[in-house]
Amino acid sequence: MKLLNYTTKYFAAILLFALLLFTVIFYFQMLDEIYDSLDDGLENQKILVINRAKKDPSVFNKTSFKDGYYTIHPTTYSEIKNVKDSYRDTLMYMLNEKDYEPVRLLESAFRQDGKYYKLKVITSMVEEDDLIEDLLYSILWLYIGLVAGVLFLNNWVLKRLWRPFYSLLNNLKNFNIEKEQSIELENTNIEEFKLLNLQVEKLLQKSIDSFKAQKQFIENASHELQTPLAISINKLELLAEKEELSSNNMTLLASVLENLERMTRLNHALLLLSKIDNKQFVEEENLNIVQLVTQIANDFSDFANHKNIEISISSDDTIQKYMNKDLAIILFTNLIKNAIIHTSLNSIITIKIHNQKVSIENESETSKLDDQQLFSRFYKVNPHKSSTGLGLAISKAIADKYELELIYIYDRYHIFIVNFQ
Amino acid sequence: MKVLIIEDEQEMLQNMKQTLEKEDYLVETATDYDSAFLKIGVYDYDCILLDISLPGKSGLEILKELKKREVSDGVIIVSAKNSLDDKLEGLHLGADDYLPKPFHMAELNARIKAIFRRRNLKGDTLIKIENLNIDIENRIALIEDEALLLNRKEFDILFYLASNKNRLVNKTALAEHVWGDHIDQTDSFDFIYSQIKNLRKKLKDHNVQVEVKAIYGIGYKLVSL
């Protein structure tokens, strides 16, 4: 959920709660005030009635509410000696509403001319259910209005406020450390965002620096390894030529040489990867990819024939690409070589050039490869094979450099596709 | 044949010196710019092996100086950098070849011989071992006057082994020379073996007085019978 929606959600919940609470308190307070004012009115009327009774004895005939707002009943002292003015709610049939409606009733007693009278004064009351209903409606409208207000606030005001943050997020999403370019930060006057931008910038610069240093380190290390490797291999070759070694020792020597050579290949591959990463292949030319792929496939024909593998090329498209020739050769050499090495004996490797795509398919007993891992460095399907585990990583690095799509699909065949579109 | 090795790494220098002395070349060595020019001033060399990552002045400086002095020695750049820029610049400055470290002795040998052929033996592009003649120009092998029918790879193998006659040729060196650097899987070695087997059979069928000997998993050696 988005940050803005979160605030809206919380605001809506808080507002709902606060408004309900407010409504309840408001309702009771208002009711209290209404009662207070009604009771005052009733008391005033009581005094008026008592005063009138002093002048007009017909008042004492009002024994029912039929045509007035008060009743007077004669009573005895014993009955009223404990009576104080009491207010209560009651129901009375209202002619206009044709229904029983609540009324406020004041019961009191007074003495006149030595006689005691009980007095009841009524006044019409607020209808609480109507009041509650009205109140609820207005609160509902208020609530809707407020939520709409919050939404508006979020979408216009907060969105504007948070813009530097969202722009930072967006930039981070597009950040690619391999491009070694820090992101562009939006200027802001908000202290927190300023700080955030500053820290992110520092962090990115640090990452870029260590990324560069790491690449440089691999390249330097590989370079430094070349000379000792050369010396060791050459010394062993000279030793092997001496013809004074037993066959056992020669076998040992062969194994050492083989492993040194393996190390050399690994070193070459690492160096190549670093060079691609460090953008050291500058020379570029317009290449005829179809021709290039055909040539590479031909170069491998001896090797393929030996394994009784047929390489079939079909092409119904022309692909031109402006790129470094060595890298283009390495890209396809690795893919084709991989296909030859991993294909089953006596099978066919199909290279199709179609629709600006080069696909290389081979059969294999191995089922689908892990396409998450496949292009990562040192990924090996068969650990015992003396491959460097860098071939596909190199191909991928080259493809990435030229923004070509290199994908792997498994559909009974292992298919590698280079997309030039 | 006189060869000058300019290389600051002593061990590397000794390796190259030893292997070249086996070919009966006269080998001189230098470890820096000044001693190199001291020697170049005195002698003419048929070939100079030049390490371009020398301390102080780069090997490319030596190359520039050689060009300026119009010294016509054949120069092979030896470099641990294996960088395309150095290669291009080196060749542009008049180097004859570029050999990235680490390399196999057999490869060094073959490259030097190619330089000699280009420089000294103009017109004479024939390697003769017993009754086998290899015509490099026309890429054919002859037994006396009869052509030995070899396919392209078989010829390359024979030529490479002949360039390193009586020397042990590492099978990786052979594979890389004949099939290119991309043949770098060990399971390609039995593929080389099968090619060698074909070659041996042809040599034997034609009574060629040379033999390709296999040396304990390391490689092959071409010897006279």
Side-chain angles (χ1 to χ4, degrees):
Chain A
M1 198 188 263
K2 276 191 167 180
L3 183 69
L4 291 180
N5 294 343
Y6 255 107
T7 49
T8 311
K9 194 178 85 175
Y10 282 122
F11 271 131
I14 290 167
L15 278 176
L16 185 66
F17 180 74
L19 280 179
L20 279 177
L21 193 72
F22 163 80
T23 312
V24 170
I25 294 169
F26 176 74
Y27 172 75
F28 283 110
Q29 265 191 341
M30 198 167 73
L31 216 54
D32 196 52
E33 201 51 48
I34 291 168
Y35 276 120
D36 205 41
S37 124
L38 284 177
D39 292 354
D40 284 352
L42 283 174
E43 193 170 8
N44 185 46
Q45 276 173 3
K46 180 192 85 177
I47 295 165
L48 286 175
V49 169
I50 292 171
N51 285 347
R52 211 151 93 202
K54 284 177 186 164
K55 295 169 196 161
D56 181 8
S58 71
V59 168
F60 294 109
N61 299 330
K62 301 256 186 189
T63 51
S64 78
F65 291 110
K66 267 182 195 148
D67 52 352
Y69 56 89
Y70 60 94
T71 60
I72 294 175
H73 293 276
T75 185
T76 59
Y77 174 72
S78 60
E79 253 182 89
I80 56 145
K81 65 177 175 196
N82 290 325
V83 174
K84 283 193 178 141
D85 283 6
S86 75
Y87 300 92
R88 61 187 167 87
D89 297 335
T90 183
L91 290 173
M92 189 170 279
Y93 190 78
M94 293 279 165
L95 290 170
N96 60 342
E97 304 260 333
K98 294 190 172 73
D99 198 4
Y100 283 92
E101 294 292 333
V103 289
R104 190 70 170 163
L105 177 93
L106 165 65
E107 264 186 319
S108 184
F110 66 97
R111 198 179 71 143
Q112 185 163 328
D113 305 332
K115 283 181 183 162
Y116 293 93
Y117 299 93
K118 202 190 224 169
L119 172 66
K120 285 182 182 173
V121 188
I122 56 159
T123 184
S124 114
M125 264 261 300
V126 279
E127 295 166 39
E128 280 183 43
D129 50 349
D130 287 353
L131 179 69
I132 290 175
E133 198 183 309
D134 284 351
L135 204 59
L136 271 182
Y137 271 116
S138 21
I139 290 297
L140 190 70
W141 285 118
L142 179 65
Y143 181 69
I144 291 171
L146 282 173
V147 169
V150 167
L151 275 174
F152 167 80
L153 205 73
N154 276 346
N155 281 303
W156 287 90
V157 182
L158 285 181
K159 221 175 203 169
R160 279 179 71 96
L161 280 177
W162 284 87
R163 211 181 57 200
F165 178 76
Y166 285 109
S167 115
L168 177 69
L169 268 191
N170 202 37
N171 280 329
L172 280 178
K173 210 162 62 188
N174 296 327
F175 173 71
N176 183 353
I177 197 161
E178 286 169 19
K179 287 191 178 151
E180 292 179 20
Q181 235 166 25
S182 198
I183 57 174
E184 270 183 40
L185 297 164
E186 194 165 314
N187 276 332
T188 169
N189 292 321
I190 301 168
E191 194 70 23
E192 283 85 350
F193 290 149
K194 262 189 197 169
L195 196 67
L196 183 68
N197 280 348
L198 190 74
Q199 294 304 325
V200 166
E201 201 174 16
K202 267 194 201 166
L203 197 69
L204 290 184
Q205 197 51 51
K206 231 176 163 177
S207 311
I208 291 170
D209 288 346
S210 59
F211 183 73
K212 271 189 200 163
Q214 182 208 330
K215 283 196 307 187
Q216 202 56 52
F217 175 78
I218 295 174
E219 194 181 337
N220 291 345
S222 307
H223 269 152
E224 292 305 316
L225 277 172
Q226 306 273 55
T227 304
L229 273 172
I231 293 168
S232 312
I233 290 174
N234 295 347
K235 284 224 184 295
L236 289 174
E237 281 176 340
L238 288 169
L239 180 62
E241 276 193 306
K242 285 200 166 147
E243 291 183 353
E244 56 199 30
L245 294 170
S246 68
S247 65
N248 272 348
N249 287 342
M250 279 298 257
T251 319
L252 275 178
L253 196 64
S255 159
V256 176
L257 261 175
E258 223 159 73
N259 280 292
L260 281 175
E261 277 156 9
R262 203 172 134 190
M263 204 160 139
T264 306
R265 284 196 295 274
L266 193 62
N267 205 37
H268 269 310
L270 274 177
L271 199 54
L272 181 62
L273 258 179
S274 318
K275 281 182 176 172
I276 297 166
D277 284 348
N278 294 340
K279 304 185 176 58
Q280 290 181 15
F281 291 88
V282 193
E283 297 265 320
E284 287 175 359
E285 60 193 290
N286 210 2
L287 295 177
N288 179 339
I289 298 296
V290 181
Q291 207 181 357
L292 189 114
V293 171
T294 313
Q295 179 60 48
I296 294 169
N298 277 338
D299 288 345
F300 275 108
S301 59
D302 284 345
F303 190 33
N305 284 341
H306 175 69
K307 288 184 82 177
N308 210 4
I309 295 162
E310 191 192 324
I311 304 179
S312 115
I313 301 185
S314 65
S315 149
D316 59 5
D317 203 358
T318 53
I319 303 176
Q320 296 283 333
K321 176 77 189 171
Y322 195 75
M323 65 190 287
N324 180 281
K325 193 176 180 185
D326 290 324
L327 290 184
I329 291 172
I330 293 165
L331 168 63
F332 287 106
T333 297
N334 285 349
L335 293 178
I336 294 173
K337 187 165 70 183
N338 251 9
I340 296 176
I341 287 166
H342 295 292
T343 194
S344 325
L345 284 176
N346 312 318
S347 64
I348 298 177
I349 291 169
T350 316
I351 302 175
K352 286 182 201 150
I353 299 162
H354 173 66
N355 205 6
Q356 296 294 300
K357 290 188 189 97
V358 180
S359 75
I360 298 159
E361 306 178 14
N362 73 282
E363 234 177 281
S364 168
E365 285 128 33
T366 333
S367 55
K368 190 177 190 308
L369 305 170
D370 181 355
D371 44 10
Q372 297 292 315
Q373 292 282 313
L374 194 59
F375 294 110
S376 57
R377 295 175 185 194
F378 301 113
Y379 172 78
K380 291 183 191 179
V381 181
N382 295 324
H384 67 271
K385 292 249 178 176
S386 72
S387 78
T388 57
L390 289 170
L392 283 177
I394 289 173
S395 288
K396 181 76 180 153
I398 296 170
D400 286 348
K401 179 183 158 75
Y402 291 102
E403 284 166 359
L404 304 172
E405 206 184 0
L406 171 58
I407 45 171
Y408 164 76
I409 305 172
Y410 181 75
D411 181 16
R412 284 179 301 128
Y413 294 92
H414 297 278
I415 309 170
F416 286 89
I417 299 171
V418 184
N419 189 349
F420 282 86
Q421 247 161 4
Chain B
M1 298 287 177
K2 267 205 292 242
V3 180
L4 173 66
I5 308 172
I6 308 170
E7 161 75 72
D8 62 313
E9 192 81 39
Q10 269 303 328
E11 303 247 31
M12 198 71 211
L13 188 68
Q14 287 310 315
N15 283 347
M16 290 195 270
K17 190 165 185 264
Q18 266 187 51
T19 206
L20 295 182
E21 278 169 348
K22 282 193 186 180
E23 299 289 322
D24 291 329
Y25 302 145
L26 188 70
V27 184
E28 298 270 352
T29 62
T31 52
D32 56 35
Y33 183 88
D34 295 330
S35 60
F37 271 101
L38 221 61
K39 300 221 159 136
I40 292 165
V42 182
Y43 307 103
D44 276 340
Y45 292 96
D46 298 297
C47 179
I48 297 176
L49 294 176
L50 172 62
D51 178 8
I52 51 169
S53 44
L54 289 176
K57 274 188 175 161
S58 145
L60 290 173
E61 297 291 322
I62 295 183
L63 208 52
K64 278 180 200 158
E65 188 63 32
L66 285 175
K67 202 180 179 187
K68 215 161 76 186
R69 294 189 190 183
E70 293 180 342
V71 177
S72 64
D73 309 323
V75 179
I76 299 177
I77 293 177
V78 172
S79 168
K81 273 171 110 183
N82 191 13
S83 114
L84 201 67
D85 291 342
D86 284 348
K87 181 174 176 175
L88 289 175
E89 193 178 352
L91 295 180
H92 178 70
L93 286 173
D96 293 68
D97 207 346
Y98 182 94
L99 190 56
K101 283 185 201 170
F103 49 80
H104 292 282
M105 286 306 172
E107 189 61 32
L108 178 66
N109 237 336
R111 301 273 184 120
I112 289 176
K113 289 213 168 120
I115 296 265
F116 289 160
R117 268 197 304 279
R118 242 179 294 166
R119 296 176 49 75
N120 298 343
L121 311 168
K122 279 185 186 117
D124 186 10
T125 54
L126 216 63
I127 297 178
K128 218 174 133 42
I129 307 168
E130 303 299 328
N131 60 346
L132 171 71
N133 293 310
I134 302 174
D135 181 346
I136 298 148
E137 199 100 308
N138 301 311
R139 294 181 54 82
I140 41 172
L142 302 157
I143 305 110
E144 272 105 45
D145 289 327
E146 187 197 346
L148 176 64
L149 284 177
L150 299 174
N151 68 31
R152 201 159 58 92
K153 299 296 178 196
E154 285 163 355
F155 178 83
D156 287 339
I157 295 170
L158 184 63
F159 174 31
Y160 194 61
L161 291 174
S163 300
N164 285 286
K165 193 186 85 174
N166 290 325
R167 304 286 304 262
L168 172 55
V169 174
N170 183 309
K171 60 188 173 186
T172 312
L174 181 65
E176 284 177 3
H177 182 87
V178 177
W179 284 277
D181 290 340
H182 53 259
I183 290 283
D184 60 7
Q185 295 287 331
T186 34
D187 67 30
S188 64
F189 289 134
D190 66 5
F191 152 61
I192 294 163
Y193 175 72
S194 79
Q195 303 273 331
I196 296 268
K197 217 165 70 179
N198 292 341
L199 178 63
R200 272 186 186 146
K201 193 168 176 296
K202 285 184 183 173
L203 292 175
K204 203 172 171 201
D205 287 353
H206 288 79
N207 280 319
V208 183
Q209 296 298 304
V210 296
E211 191 198 356
V212 178
K213 271 171 75 178
I215 313 284
Y216 307 105
I218 294 184
Y220 301 94
K221 188 192 262 189
L222 188 87
V223 291
S224 302
L225 278 177

